């Protein structure tokens, strides 16, 4: 304990790091993070709706959620959840293969297949678990994974754990992907995302699929940020880019973002899904999604497919355009992204953090993202514009940014 105290006050003194317990080592790592100014902490907010969130600083307009269509507080979805609770109770009671898969889950799976054009789908309690399941079930020693280098942590983590060889291609670069595929050995899986969560940019899906096809590789698309929000009837990034929604061999989508509930699905051929039901440990050994959550998500999917969904997506596009025009009008360059995710590059970490906390005082929540999450010198505000924002909200944050960045330049 004495050695530990010493380390806490002098993080550079590594000689004292021998013979520490697990928890002492953890304490050291935390102290190091703190001294670097990168310690992360939790908040608990008193209330929220699709547009706002209450913090110690009062009610803030929330520009930090993934609730792109504002469905997380939609009365029809909440009602479907309540009705599901009355009908099914609060939990599924078992894993899917035992007795946890109920009619509510089957109906949601069928709706997803009808929407996206796949033979079969299965449900997970989170997108993180779904990604682990796909990659660790289909990839193992002797096979290779070719993945975009900026793919989500859940995909990278699964690839490392799978035992397969991992080759990472340059971000959104189909030629680099092709070169990795040519170099890779054994049966291959190519993996990327529809929309990337930090920059809001899209993968060139058709080109990546063509590289995969030329190399006889399976293709897995994670469309966590595209499902519900992109394409005709919200069926995702593939449709937005003019290709069939079921063009990927395997598609993963999450329910916690645009659809406003929780959990995720994996859709594929009947044979691939049968394989997962038999061999995906994250599916076999985990309590199935609460049936009421499946009822709520079914309502959310139906809503996303309806003309109300079209109206929400139109609102969102208008709001994104309004935000980007606003940035340009105050002399800030809008990013290349035309999705909800609108990074505003500030440059230095300190500047980004200062602007984020000043925005808070002015009534807006927009988080600062710093290196190493993003490349050095590109610290930014990660602003997500949603369908629930009003024109006043958007004008408000643009004016605040105008004021704060002018102050920074002085
Ligand atoms: C959010 C996200 C996930 C994880 O989904 P959860 O349901 O939140 O666990 C997976 N992939 C991508 C690209 C994501 O953005």
């Amino acid at each position: 304990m004495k050695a530990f105290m010493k380390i806490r006050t002098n993080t550079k003194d590594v000689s004292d790091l021998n013979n520490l317990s697990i928890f002492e080592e953890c304490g050291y790592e935390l102290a190091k993070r703190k001294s670097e100014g990168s310690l992360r902490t939790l908040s608990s907010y008193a209330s929220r709706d699709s547009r706002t969130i209450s913090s110690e600083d009062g009610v803030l307009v929330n520009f930090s959620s993934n609730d792109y269509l504002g469905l997380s507080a939609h009365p029809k979805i909440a009602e479907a959840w309540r009705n599901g609770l009355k009908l099914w109770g609060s939990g599924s009671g078992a894993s899917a293969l035992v007795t946890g898969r109920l009619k509510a889950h089957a109906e949601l799976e069928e709706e997803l297949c009808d929407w996206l054009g796949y033979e079969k789908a299965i449900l997970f309690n989170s997108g993180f678990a779904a990604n682990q399941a796909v990659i660790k079930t289909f990839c193992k020693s002797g096979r290779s994974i070719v993945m975009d280098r900026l793919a989500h942590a859940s995909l990278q983590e699964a690839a490392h754990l799978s035992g397969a060889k991992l080759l990472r291609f340059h971000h959104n670069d189909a030629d680099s992907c092709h070169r990795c595929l040519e170099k890779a050995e054994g049966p291959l899986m190519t993996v990327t995302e529809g929309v990337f969560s930090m920059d809001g940019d899209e993968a060139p899906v058709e080109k990546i699929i063509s590289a995969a096809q030329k190399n006889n590789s399976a293709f897995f698309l994670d469309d966590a940020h595209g499902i519900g929000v992109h394409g005709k009837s919200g069926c995702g990034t593939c449709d937005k880019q003019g290709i069939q929604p079921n063009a990927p061999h395997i598609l993963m989508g999450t329910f916690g973002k645009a659809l406003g509930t929780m959990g995720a699905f994996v859709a594929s051929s009947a044979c691939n899904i049968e394989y997962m039901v038999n061999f995906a440990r994250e599916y076999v050994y985990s309590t199935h999604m609460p049936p009421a959550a499946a009822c709520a998500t079914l309502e959310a999917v139906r809503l996303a497919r309806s003309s109300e969904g079209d109206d929400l997506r139109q609102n969102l596009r208008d709001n994104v355009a309004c935000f980007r025009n606003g940035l340009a009008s105050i002399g800030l360059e809008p990013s290349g992204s035309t999705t909800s995710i609108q990074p505003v590059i500030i440059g230095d970490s300190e500047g980004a953090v200062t602007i984020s906390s000043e925005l808070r005082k002015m009534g807006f929540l927009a988080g600062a993202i710093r290196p190493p999450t993003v490349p050095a010198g590109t610290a930014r505000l990660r602003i997500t514009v949603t369908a629930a924002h009003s024109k006043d909200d958007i004008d408000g944050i643009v004016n605040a940014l105008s004021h704060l960045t002018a102050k920074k330049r002085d």
Side-chain angles (χ1 to χ4, degrees):
M1 202 60 210
K2 216 169 178 182
F4 172 55
M5 295 309 292
K6 191 169 167 202
I7 289 155
R8 282 188 75 111
T9 54
N10 179 5
T11 55
K12 294 214 173 66
D13 187 358
V14 259
S15 61
D16 283 324
L17 280 178
N18 299 319
N19 301 321
L20 293 185
S21 74
I22 286 179
F23 298 134
E24 284 166 345
E25 279 189 5
C26 294
Y28 170 76
E29 283 169 29
L30 277 176
K32 193 154 159 275
R33 263 212 167 171
K34 197 166 181 184
S35 72
E36 292 162 357
S38 59
L39 190 70
R40 299 177 187 203
T41 55
L42 289 166
S43 302
S44 70
Y45 297 97
S47 70
R48 66 172 293 280
D49 59 24
S50 306
R51 216 190 110 239
T52 63
I53 192 153
S54 313
S55 74
E56 316 88 82
D57 299 319
V59 179
L60 307 174
V61 182
N62 189 353
F63 281 95
S64 286
S65 83
N66 300 317
D67 188 13
Y68 303 130
L69 299 180
L71 293 185
S72 72
H74 195 291
K76 272 198 198 157
I77 297 172
E79 190 187 305
W81 203 314
R82 276 193 298 274
N83 289 340
L85 279 172
K86 280 187 218 144
L87 199 61
W88 298 107
S90 49
S92 71
S95 64
L97 276 171
V98 181
T99 55
R101 182 171 176 270
L102 301 157
K103 279 256 158 43
H105 301 104
E107 262 184 78
L108 172 57
E109 291 167 6
E110 279 159 29
E111 181 84 17
L112 291 165
C113 290
D114 182 59
W115 187 28
L116 304 167
Y118 282 93
E119 284 177 2
K120 287 277 177 210
I122 44 174
L123 308 176
F124 288 85
N125 282 310
S126 77
F128 199 104
N131 279 346
Q132 299 280 302
V134 169
I135 293 196
K136 285 159 59 192
T137 310
F138 289 104
C139 305
K140 53 188 171 192
S141 170
R143 300 181 182 171
S144 292
I145 301 169
V146 172
M147 187 181 283
D148 189 290
R149 43 183 333 127
L150 297 189
H152 191 261
S154 56
L155 296 166
Q156 310 257 4
E157 165 112 354
H160 285 296
L161 293 171
S162 69
K165 195 149 182 251
L166 172 63
L167 292 88
R168 302 195 308 163
F169 58 90
H170 295 305
H171 179 50
N172 282 346
D173 182 340
D175 293 333
S176 166
C177 172
H178 185 70
R179 286 193 296 275
C180 286
L181 283 162
E182 284 189 321
K183 238 185 337 190
E185 286 165 13
L188 308 174
M189 178 177 273
T190 305
V191 185
T192 192
E193 289 175 34
V195 179
F196 285 81
S197 59
M198 283 303 141
D199 288 308
D201 52 341
E202 291 172 39
V205 181
E206 191 167 17
K207 286 185 182 157
I208 304 267
I209 288 183
S210 139
Q213 269 169 354
K214 280 187 201 129
N215 292 280
N216 194 25
S217 166
F219 177 62
F220 170 35
L221 183 71
D222 170 342
D223 206 15
H225 297 276
I227 284 294
V229 72
H230 280 169
K232 181 169 57 346
S233 77
C235 66
T237 304
C238 288
D239 184 76
K240 183 186 180 196
Q241 295 186 1
I243 50 183
Q244 293 296 325
N246 64 359
H249 297 117
I250 306 177
L251 177 70
M252 194 286 291
T254 58
F255 303 139
K257 289 171 178 145
L259 293 168
T261 61
M262 58 155 284
F265 70 87
V266 174
S268 191
S269 66
C271 180
N272 286 344
I273 295 298
E274 185 177 23
Y275 186 76
M276 288 190 75
V277 166
N278 279 275
F279 293 103
R281 302 173 72 80
E282 290 79 0
Y283 190 74
V284 176
Y285 297 105
S286 184
T287 302
H288 208 31
M289 172 186 284
C295 296
T297 304
L298 177 62
E299 183 62 33
V301 171
R302 287 183 174 155
L303 222 146
R305 296 180 75 177
S306 72
S307 60
E308 189 177 342
D310 290 335
D311 294 344
L312 290 171
R313 284 184 289 274
Q314 188 58 48
N315 275 359
L316 175 59
R317 279 192 295 271
D318 293 347
N319 283 348
V320 168
C322 177
F323 178 76
R324 294 171 61 77
N325 292 337
L327 280 192
S329 77
I330 60 165
L332 287 178
E333 198 180 336
S335 73
S337 156
T338 54
T339 65
S340 276
I341 303 162
Q342 291 290 322
V344 176
I345 308 289
I346 303 297
D348 60 307
S349 292
E350 212 176 301
V353 172
T354 307
I355 292 182
S356 170
S357 67
E358 291 292 321
L359 278 174
R360 237 184 132 102
K361 289 181 203 149
M362 297 165 88
F364 303 99
L365 184 65
I369 313 275
R370 291 163 283 175
T373 308
V374 292
T378 70
R380 65 194 65 190
L381 301 169
R382 181 179 181 272
I383 291 180
T384 50
V385 176
T386 78
H389 290 132
S390 69
K391 290 278 175 294
D392 281 351
D393 295 336
I394 292 171
D395 291 344
I397 195 168
V398 168
N399 283 337
L401 282 169
S402 165
H403 184 74
L404 294 170
T405 52
K407 212 158 95 183
K408 186 170 178 264
R409 282 194 292 264
D410 287 344

